[in-house]
Amino acid sequence: MPGRGERQGDGSLFDPWHTVPDLRVALSWARERWDRLALRATSLGAWFAMLAWEGPAPERALLVSPLVDLARLIRNMMTWAGVTETELREKREILTDFGETLSWRYYQYALDHPILDWDCPTAVLYAGGDHLTERPVIEDFATRFGWSLTVMENGEHWFHTSEQLAVLDRWTQEQSAVTEVVAALIQDGDHFLACQRPAGKARGLLWEFVGGKVETGETRRQALIREVQEELGVTLEAEDVFLETTHRYPDLTIHLTVYRAAIRRGTPQKLEHNDIRWLTVEEAAKYSFCPADQIILERLRER
């Protein structure tokens, strides 16, 4: 990164007009090598990364003490230093007594580049004692963008004590845990089989493609055949993979593999679901599907 590591002293600086373009180069490089990308960022790096990310969103993001509103932060720093906007505009740069250099160019960049959209499943670890981002600010972002927000009340912006690092490690492990899930795309002509989840379960009464969790010792195909037998009472043949995706719900993160599949024996029954129906893609628009399953519908609409 500019001004870091081997690039110290090369004239580049760790500012947005150097860092954001460099991150875009790195992102392009990564996309040429991997189909699935995720983001882990801390503090100012979160702001840089969200500005730099173009094209398909990451499958998910983990942000630690993210700076999300740089213009507000700079205004706060101006207040701490007793500097007005007029003074900063005239002097261009002012070194504060707390070690930060206020920059008019940086402030203008922050004003011109707010974070207005971030369409990605995101989990945030925030410290109650964060002196750089006020709690209402991070809560507002979490509400607007649907982020999962975890707060360590006695934490600081930089997680560094043994207690804080233990919380950070535990949070990372919890957020990194991914449940393997499979689902079946069962088609009959221009119709596909959709199932309505029971009212008492998570995401109750939403519609989904039949399937479930891969148990220990099972292959994904074995899990799909077992789940469909248990839920619909039919024998299934799992064919090729239709799509794979990762989705974060408030209660878990799933890696979903969807197989094209065919019923080889039996007639679908409502053994566990509230309802089952054969729908066209057009008819499905009238039904409320689980968020992860909506990705399957979007792919079907494209074909």
Side-chain angles (χ1 to χ4, degrees):
M1 297 304 298
R4 299 294 190 271
E6 296 178 355
R7 297 185 62 184
Q8 285 184 334
D10 68 355
S12 63
L13 298 175
F14 195 54
D15 52 44
W17 45 93
H18 285 99
T19 303
V20 170
D22 277 19
L23 282 174
R24 286 175 178 159
V25 171
L27 179 60
S28 177
W29 178 89
R31 283 196 172 123
E32 291 174 356
R33 288 159 177 78
W34 297 285
D35 294 329
R36 301 168 58 198
L37 299 178
L39 172 65
R40 170 69 181 261
T42 300
S43 190
L44 184 59
W47 186 64
F48 284 155
M50 287 189 284
L51 289 179
W53 207 286
E54 295 180 321
E59 288 196 354
R60 63 179 311 214
L62 300 184
L63 307 180
V64 180
S65 301
L67 300 183
V68 293
D69 188 340
L70 259 290
R72 183 185 181 99
L73 175 57
I74 294 172
R75 285 195 298 272
N76 287 344
M77 288 183 171
M78 291 165 61
T79 300
W80 303 338
V83 173
T84 66
E85 286 196 22
T86 300
E87 289 176 298
L88 187 57
R89 182 173 61 248
E90 292 175 350
K91 296 183 179 180
R92 312 308 291 179
E93 289 188 354
I94 298 176
L95 178 62
T96 68
D97 57 9
F98 49 85
E100 296 290 341
T101 297
L102 296 171
S103 163
W104 180 254
R105 182 182 180 188
Y106 209 128
Y107 181 45
Q108 291 302 301
Y109 186 100
L111 287 172
D112 292 340
H113 297 84
I115 304 299
L116 299 177
D117 183 44
W118 183 247
D119 187 16
C120 165
T122 299
V124 172
L125 178 60
Y126 174 78
D130 194 320
H131 65 295
L132 298 181
T133 300
E134 302 107 315
R135 189 159 181 162
V137 172
I138 198 68
E139 288 178 342
D140 174 64
F141 271 74
T143 299
R144 279 195 285 147
F145 299 142
W147 293 352
S148 169
L149 179 62
T150 300
V151 180
M152 182 184 181
E153 294 294 350
N154 60 335
E156 302 167 78
H157 180 79
W158 298 109
F159 284 68
H160 65 286
T161 68
S162 57
E163 180 187 9
Q164 292 166 3
L165 290 174
V167 169
L168 173 60
D169 183 60
R170 184 167 59 251
W171 175 81
T172 299
Q173 292 182 20
E174 291 171 353
Q175 297 300 326
S176 300
V178 177
T179 300
E180 288 291 335
V181 175
V182 288
L185 173 58
I186 304 171
Q187 294 176 295
D188 183 4
D190 61 353
H191 289 71
F192 65 86
L193 186 62
C195 304
Q196 188 180 39
R197 292 177 63 82
K201 284 193 174 183
R203 291 162 285 284
L205 300 181
L206 293 181
W207 290 78
E208 66 179 0
F209 292 79
V210 64
K213 180 181 175 183
V214 179
E215 301 292 351
T216 302
E218 285 184 317
T219 67
R220 290 180 294 179
R221 280 185 166 82
Q222 288 171 341
L224 184 61
I225 292 170
R226 173 186 54 77
E227 287 283 352
V228 174
Q229 179 66 51
E230 293 172 355
E231 296 180 2
L232 297 180
V234 299
T235 300
L236 194 76
E237 180 180 347
E239 299 170 348
D240 60 308
V241 174
F242 178 69
L243 67 78
E244 292 185 57
T245 188
T246 300
H247 185 81
R248 177 162 180 77
Y249 288 109
D251 54 330
L252 82 166
T253 298
I254 66 169
H255 175 245
L256 173 64
T257 304
V258 183
Y259 288 90
R260 293 185 184 275
I263 296 173
R264 294 308 181 201
R265 186 168 61 251
T267 300
Q269 307 169 59
K270 293 185 292 184
L271 301 181
E272 294 188 12
H273 287 94
N274 187 65
D275 197 3
I276 55 176
R277 296 186 184 183
W278 291 94
L279 303 175
T280 64
V281 173
E282 292 74 21
E283 291 169 340
K286 303 175 184 177
Y287 294 74
S288 296
F289 275 75
C290 295
D293 294 75
Q294 290 175 9
I295 300 170
I296 309 172
L297 290 175
E298 291 172 6
R299 184 68 60 83
L300 286 171
R301 293 187 187 105
E302 294 171 358
R303 301 196 171 195

